[in-house]
């Protein structure tokens, strides 16, 4: 665990920024998360340590756009590769945050962090240099789709940070793409702040190459009357963690989370979600899917917190999992902390296999086992993929997935 | 006991077939032979093994053949996968058609039809040509094209599911069709529609096995042979009058017949 050693010995960053200094000091005393805690106990120890084995000093990343260019009007940004962004159009504006705004915002957040809960973000802020932090103020509607790419480069560890403020009444589609190169680790921390009456349709697509690792942390703050929809897809990682924390600050907002993770070989991919309602009338509609093949391991834990102030919360969480091999493993667990008494909270988890009788029915009509399985899998994927804001003719995610599985 | 229907070139031949699932024997020496153009009916008490026989012919992986053979156009098919059997012209109309949520009926029918066409060395159909074909076949079973855009059998009524089976048979143009209680759950009009559909699809080259509990279907489609199955065996074979006698005397009558043997 090269990075941990360097943190301990004060060798990680030669010229740390203010934020890096704060985070390095925090981690120096206690550089690792508590492996016995709920958030980390299922994490594969040797994979986790290999995640921390790449040096962050090696290379800057270089992004290859994973699909064909199109005539559609898209605002594409690459974290770490951008020159100044300052768009002021008739219906919208997108402006870079000032350095001081970024520093203040991250500092404010760090001061509230529980070291174990937010270990991924602390590590990210230790490593993410000023160049690799992108912060934007976004306002208006009729905004073209925004795409933000983040990548690691082979044989190295890259850390990227994204901070987006969505101003009141803003309405936007945002696609975030995290690409892992061969033998690499990527730490991506993202902060989204949704002001009142905003509507953000967020897609996260993360995939790697041979022996890629990912630590993807997403923090979302929702003010009243905001609507946040997340469609996420994680696949092809040796080791990946997707941590989602969403806070409906005043309740009275809508959150949709539809996620799928696909594991093969000996991969481990885990998703942890923490949904907090801090006011009444909040809505959550969550579906998480895991598809595990070969000797892989998928983990999903979804926490929902409904304190006394969050009366009339309406939350639904489903975990629908598919095991494709006897040697694969799926762990799934809901964690409900409900104190308010007048709430609707539905949750459920299923783990199943491809249905034998359905397969036989299709085969008895001449479809090969492969074709029949593909049809079943596409229907399984489709529910999630349809929530990712990218048009099918630009990037056919379903085809890409079927190729991979 | 041996059925008397064996002839020179049967499309389907089941010889002394024994089969079991998880060591539970279900078929105990079934013999049947169907020639091109023939219609056979199989009747018998609930649980005697009719559906099991049909699923084994279609290649269901849950059952194991312990003795005997199944020949299709002269070839032993034991080593063929279910899809190979279907492509080469074996069709099973399910007693309980399976609902498959999320998979489009139209797409399913198209892939299935093309798999069969490929085997027959016919040109595969694109979406447009296929829609023309399927509309023509829908007419045979008087089904609304709205069913095509739904998921396979999902939320179909019992009768609609059975019509969807016959639609598939019409598209696949099999050499042997085993229709497992396709008449159960059909109202009087639907029964006539389905029966006339089956008659239109079948020709001198197709063999048909109707598994049924009721005379009604056999009034519409007159079988050449009626077999009575009991505890995993065909215990009696006769002509279409046998079904009428069964209607009259019940299965105890054939049980007695077995005792006399
Ligand atoms: N997969 C299985 N596992 C266990 N038992 C089975 C299985 N398949 C069939 N059987 C048993 O084998 C026997 C024959 O079943 P089958 O479905 O073939 O009857 P059937 O003649 O079609 O009856 P019905 O007229 O009610 O449709 C039954 O006792 C049934 O319970
Ligand atoms: Mg049956």
């Amino acid at each position: 665990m090269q990075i941990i050693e360097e943190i301990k010995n004060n060798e990680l960053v030669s010229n740390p920024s203010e934020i890096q200094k704060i985070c390095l000091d925090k981690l120096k005393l206690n550089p690792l998360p508590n492996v016995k805690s709920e958030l980390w106990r299922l994490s594969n120890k040797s994979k986790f340590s290999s995640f921390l084995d790449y040096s962050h000093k090696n290379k800057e990343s270089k992004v290859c756009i994973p699909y064909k260019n199109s005539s559609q009007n898209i605002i594409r940004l690459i974290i770490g590769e951008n020159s100044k962004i300052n768009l002021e159009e008739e219906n919208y504006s997108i402006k870079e945050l000032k350095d001081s705004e970024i520093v203040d915002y991250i500092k404010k957040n760090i001061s509230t962090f529980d070291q174990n809960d937010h270990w991924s973000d602390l590590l990210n802020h230790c490593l993410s240099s000023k160049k690799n932090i992108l912060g934007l103020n976004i306002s208006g509607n009729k905004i073209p789709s925004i795409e933000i790419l983040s990548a690691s480069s082979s044989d190295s560890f890259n850390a990227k940070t994204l901070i987006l403020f969505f101003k009141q009444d803003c309405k936007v589609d945002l696609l975030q793409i995290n690409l892992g190169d061969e033998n690499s680790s990527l730490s991506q921390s993202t902060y989204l702040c949704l002001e009142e009456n905003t509507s953000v349709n967020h897609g996260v697509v993360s995939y790697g190459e041979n022996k890629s690792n990912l630590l993807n942390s997403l923090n979302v703050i929702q003010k009243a009357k905001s609507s946040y929809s997340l469609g996420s897809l994680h696949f092809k990682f040796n080791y990946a963690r997707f941590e989602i924390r969403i806070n409906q600050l005043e309740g009275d907002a809508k959150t949709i989370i539809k996620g799928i993770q696909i594991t093969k070989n000996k991969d481990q991919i885990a998703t942890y979600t923490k949904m907090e309602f801090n006011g009444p009338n909040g809505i959550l509609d969550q579906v998480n899917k895991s598809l595990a093949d070969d000797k892989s391991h998928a983990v999903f834990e979804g926490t929902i917190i409904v304190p006394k102030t969050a009366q009339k919360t309406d939350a639904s969480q489903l975990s629908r999992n598919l095991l494709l091999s006897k040697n694969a493993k799926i762990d799934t667990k809901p964690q409900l902390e409900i104190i308010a008494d007048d709430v609707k909270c539905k949750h459920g988890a299923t783990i199943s296999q491809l249905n034998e009788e359905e397969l036989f029915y299709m085969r008895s009509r001449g479809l090969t086992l492969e074709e029949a399985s593909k049809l079943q899998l596409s229907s399984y994927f489709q529910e999630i993929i349809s929530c990712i804001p990218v048009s099918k003719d630009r990037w056919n995610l379903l085809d890409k997935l079927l190729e991979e599985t | 006991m041996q059925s008397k229907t064996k002839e020179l070139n049967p499309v389907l031949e089941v010889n002394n077939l024994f089969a079991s699932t998880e060591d539970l024997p279900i078929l105990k020496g079934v013999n049947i032979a169907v020639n091109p153009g023939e219609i056979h009916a199989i009747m018998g008490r609930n649980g005697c093994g009719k559906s099991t026989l049909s699923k084994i012919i279609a290649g269901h992986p849950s059952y194991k053949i312990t003795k005997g053979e199944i020949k299709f156009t002269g070839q032993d098919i034991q080593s063929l996968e279910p899809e190979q059997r279907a492509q080469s012209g074996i069709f099973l109309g399910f007693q309980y058609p399976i609902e498959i949520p999320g998979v489009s009926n139209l797409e399913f029918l198209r892939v299935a039809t093309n798999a069969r066409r490929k085997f027959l060395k016919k040109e595969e159909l694109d979406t447009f040509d296929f829609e023309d074909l399927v509309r023509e076949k829908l007419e045979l079973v008087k089904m609304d094209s709205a069913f095509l855009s739904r998921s396979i059998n999902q939320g179909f009524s019992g009768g609609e599911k059975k019509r969807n089976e016959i639609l598939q048979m019409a598209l696949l143009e099999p050499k042997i069709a085993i229709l497992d209680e396709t008449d159960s759950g059909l109202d009087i009009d639907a029964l006539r529609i389905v029966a006339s559909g089956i008659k239109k699809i079948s020709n001198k080259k197709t063999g048909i096995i109707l598994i049924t509990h009721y005379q009604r279907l056999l009034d519409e489609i007159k079988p050449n042979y009626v077999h009575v199955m009991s505890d995993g065996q065909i215990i009696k074979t006769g002509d279409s009058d046998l079904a009428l006698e069964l209607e009259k005397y019940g299965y105890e009558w054939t049980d007695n017949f077995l005792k006399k043997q």
Side-chain angles (χ1 to χ4, degrees):
Chain A
M1 292 192 277
Q2 192 179 337
I3 287 178
I4 298 301
E5 289 311 310
E6 288 179 2
I7 291 177
K8 281 188 196 157
N9 302 330
N10 252 340
E11 290 166 352
L12 189 69
V13 187
S14 49
N15 231 330
S17 68
E18 188 185 355
I19 294 170
Q20 285 178 312
K21 227 182 265 161
I22 298 172
C23 294
L24 284 165
D25 282 347
K26 280 202 173 222
L27 283 190
K28 197 176 165 181
L29 297 171
N30 204 354
L32 287 170
N34 175 2
V35 293
K36 292 201 180 106
S37 66
E38 193 55 45
L39 273 176
W40 289 93
R41 70 185 174 89
L42 292 170
S43 204
N44 183 305
K45 311 280 177 304
S46 80
K47 284 180 184 291
F48 176 63
S49 71
S50 75
F51 163 75
L52 291 166
D53 259 345
Y54 295 105
S55 162
H56 69 106
K57 286 168 192 150
N58 291 0
K59 281 188 233 164
E60 287 299 328
S61 62
K62 189 97 191 82
V63 168
C64 299
I65 309 295
Y67 44 82
K68 59 179 187 244
N69 265 321
S70 81
S71 52
Q72 275 166 293
N73 191 8
I74 287 162
I75 298 171
R76 178 179 294 145
L77 304 169
I78 299 171
I79 305 181
E81 284 184 26
N82 274 297
S83 42
K84 285 270 166 267
I85 301 139
N86 202 340
L87 286 169
E88 185 75 69
E89 301 288 331
E90 194 186 333
N91 292 312
Y92 65 90
S93 90
I94 299 178
K95 289 183 178 167
E96 241 172 279
L97 296 174
K98 290 195 208 89
D99 288 349
S100 60
E101 285 176 303
I102 290 177
V103 172
D104 287 349
Y105 183 76
I106 297 179
K107 263 166 66 182
K108 198 180 86 200
N109 271 286
I110 296 171
S111 67
T112 66
F113 280 175
D114 170 282
Q115 176 133 356
N116 204 49
D117 259 15
H118 279 274
W119 183 86
S120 308
D121 291 320
L122 287 172
L123 181 77
N124 180 274
H125 297 314
C126 286
L127 287 159
S128 177
S129 60
K130 205 177 127 191
K131 180 168 180 277
N132 285 317
I133 303 176
L134 176 65
L136 301 172
N137 249 326
I138 301 172
S139 62
N141 48 41
K142 303 210 177 99
I143 310 175
S145 284
I146 302 178
E147 271 182 29
I148 298 180
L149 290 101
S150 174
S152 58
S153 59
S154 61
D155 301 308
S156 67
F157 189 114
N158 296 81
K160 309 282 164 87
T161 313
L162 176 66
I163 301 168
L164 301 178
F165 294 149
F166 299 97
K167 294 295 166 196
Q168 211 167 335
D169 302 320
C170 167
K171 197 165 183 274
V172 69
D173 281 357
L174 165 71
L175 178 63
Q176 210 181 343
I177 302 167
N178 304 309
L179 301 169
D181 207 342
E182 275 188 0
N183 299 306
S184 74
S185 294
L186 176 64
S187 156
Q188 169 67 46
S189 281
T190 303
Y191 298 86
L192 309 181
C193 297
L194 281 70
E195 294 279 332
E196 279 189 14
N197 223 13
T198 49
S199 167
V200 175
N201 196 2
H202 186 196
V204 176
V205 178
S206 308
Y207 65 91
E209 293 292 333
N210 190 23
K211 298 228 167 71
S212 312
N213 305 298
L214 172 73
L215 195 53
N216 187 12
S217 168
L218 171 63
N219 301 287
V220 182
I221 301 281
Q222 283 187 262
K223 293 242 177 105
K225 303 201 172 54
S226 64
S227 160
Y228 174 69
S229 163
L230 171 68
S232 72
L233 168 59
H234 285 74
F235 65 107
K236 253 187 127 182
F237 284 102
N238 168 53
Y239 174 79
R241 274 175 76 89
F242 185 27
E243 301 173 359
I244 307 170
R245 302 170 203 84
I246 301 178
N247 189 340
Q248 287 193 7
L249 271 189
E250 302 145 351
D252 203 17
K254 185 170 183 186
T255 308
I256 298 171
I257 309 172
K258 301 271 159 99
I260 187 164
Q261 48 192 358
I262 297 161
T263 55
K264 284 179 75 174
N265 308 317
K266 290 182 177 174
D267 302 348
Q268 183 186 52
I269 303 186
T271 296
Y272 292 86
T273 66
K274 181 172 168 188
M275 179 73 217
E276 227 172 308
F277 294 93
N278 281 312
N281 303 313
I283 297 174
L284 169 69
D285 172 9
Q286 178 174 20
V287 177
N288 193 86
K289 295 187 174 184
S290 297
L291 180 92
D293 201 354
D294 305 321
K295 291 183 176 172
S296 65
H297 184 196
V299 179
F300 169 69
E301 291 199 13
T303 305
I304 300 177
I305 300 171
V306 188
K308 188 98 196 162
T309 51
Q311 298 295 353
K312 301 233 183 300
T313 295
D314 184 351
S316 151
Q317 180 194 76
L318 293 174
S319 163
R320 305 238 318 268
N321 307 291
L322 208 49
L323 263 182
L324 291 188
S325 130
K326 277 194 214 96
N327 300 316
K329 198 173 147 200
I330 296 177
D331 281 292
T332 177
K333 184 172 167 190
Q335 300 244 67
L336 308 180
E337 297 171 21
I338 301 174
I339 298 178
D341 43 25
D342 185 13
V343 297
K344 271 194 236 161
C345 206
K346 190 176 97 182
H347 67 94
T350 57
I351 298 184
S352 52
Q353 282 146 10
L354 284 185
N355 185 308
E356 280 285 334
E357 291 304 317
E358 291 180 9
L359 287 177
F360 176 65
Y361 186 71
M362 292 192 266
R363 295 175 78 190
S364 80
R365 299 301 182 243
L367 279 70
T368 60
L369 182 57
E370 202 176 305
E371 286 168 328
S373 314
K374 248 186 183 176
L375 279 180
Q376 278 200 335
L377 285 180
S378 8
S379 90
Y380 182 78
F381 294 149
Q382 197 54 48
E383 182 186 4
I384 306 296
I385 289 180
S386 62
C387 294
I388 298 175
V390 55
S391 71
K392 194 177 146 197
D393 44 341
R394 191 152 58 88
W395 196 15
N396 196 331
L397 286 171
L398 183 61
D399 276 2
K400 178 154 183 69
L401 278 187
L402 291 172
E403 251 166 57
E404 299 284 345
T405 38
Chain B
M1 124 145 223
Q2 188 87 11
S3 342
K4 297 166 199 147
T5 47
K6 238 183 197 180
E7 286 188 15
L8 270 182
N9 290 312
V11 55
L12 180 77
E13 215 181 328
V14 177
N15 292 324
N16 197 27
L17 188 71
F18 285 74
S20 50
T21 180
E22 285 157 13
D23 293 331
L24 171 77
I26 301 176
L27 300 187
K28 301 166 182 172
V30 176
N31 290 291
I32 191 166
V34 181
N35 292 305
E38 282 180 359
I39 296 172
H40 291 233
I42 299 180
M43 306 183 83
R45 280 201 180 88
N46 294 133
C48 71
K50 305 179 296 296
S51 294
T52 302
L53 172 64
S54 67
K55 285 193 253 180
I56 288 174
I57 295 170
H60 196 293
S62 298
Y63 303 96
K64 210 175 142 213
I65 294 177
T66 50
K67 202 173 153 189
E69 61 176 6
I70 305 169
K71 282 182 167 174
F72 174 66
T73 58
Q75 308 275 342
D76 190 327
I77 57 168
Q78 235 197 101
S79 62
L80 297 186
E81 299 293 338
E83 54 267 36
Q84 293 173 305
R85 300 181 195 203
Q87 289 160 8
S88 60
I90 296 177
F91 179 84
L92 168 59
F94 281 59
Q95 181 176 1
Y96 304 109
I98 310 287
E99 299 195 10
I100 311 182
V103 178
S104 135
N105 201 22
L106 182 67
E107 182 59 10
F108 167 64
L109 295 173
R110 194 174 72 87
V111 179
T113 305
N114 278 336
R116 173 85 174 120
R117 288 178 74 92
K118 193 170 170 194
F119 179 89
L120 294 173
K121 302 209 161 53
K122 285 192 197 170
E123 198 189 340
E124 290 179 47
L125 300 175
D126 64 24
T127 323
F128 299 110
D129 289 341
F130 180 69
E131 285 201 23
D132 291 344
L133 176 69
V134 85
R135 263 168 228 290
E136 177 193 315
K137 304 291 183 189
L138 276 171
E139 186 51 34
L140 278 177
V141 283
K142 304 261 180 296
M143 251 171 99
D144 193 291
S145 60
F147 287 104
L148 299 174
S149 55
R150 289 166 61 175
S151 295
I152 302 173
N153 292 325
Q154 198 184 22
F156 286 26
S157 77
E160 288 161 357
K161 283 181 185 162
K162 296 299 174 74
R163 287 191 205 202
N164 201 27
E165 295 292 286
I166 300 306
L167 172 67
Q168 294 175 38
M169 174 179 166
L171 286 165
L172 297 175
E173 300 179 358
K175 278 194 169 144
I176 178 97
I178 305 159
L179 302 176
D180 191 358
E181 296 200 25
T182 301
D183 54 338
S184 297
L186 292 181
D187 67 41
I188 302 162
D189 290 346
L191 181 80
R192 282 208 191 101
I193 292 166
V194 162
S196 88
I198 296 171
K199 277 194 277 192
K200 278 182 203 146
I201 301 163
S202 55
N203 56 42
K204 281 192 200 118
K205 288 182 196 155
T206 20
I208 293 185
I209 297 177
L210 302 171
I211 296 173
T212 182
H213 289 296
Y214 308 106
Q215 180 59 37
R216 272 193 333 184
L217 178 70
L218 305 181
D219 288 338
E220 301 283 336
I221 309 176
K222 193 170 174 221
N224 305 92
Y225 300 96
V226 174
H227 308 274
V228 180
M229 196 166 173
S230 173
D231 190 22
Q233 282 182 309
I234 305 276
I235 55 162
K236 188 169 174 60
T237 294
D239 60 16
S240 58
D241 290 341
L242 177 57
L244 294 169
E245 287 178 287
L246 275 174
E247 187 102 319
K248 220 172 178 177
Y249 304 118
Y251 287 116
E252 259 170 51
W253 171 66
T254 46
D255 291 346
N256 290 334
F257 178 84
L258 188 63
K259 275 177 215 151
K260 273 187 237 154
Q261 287 269 300

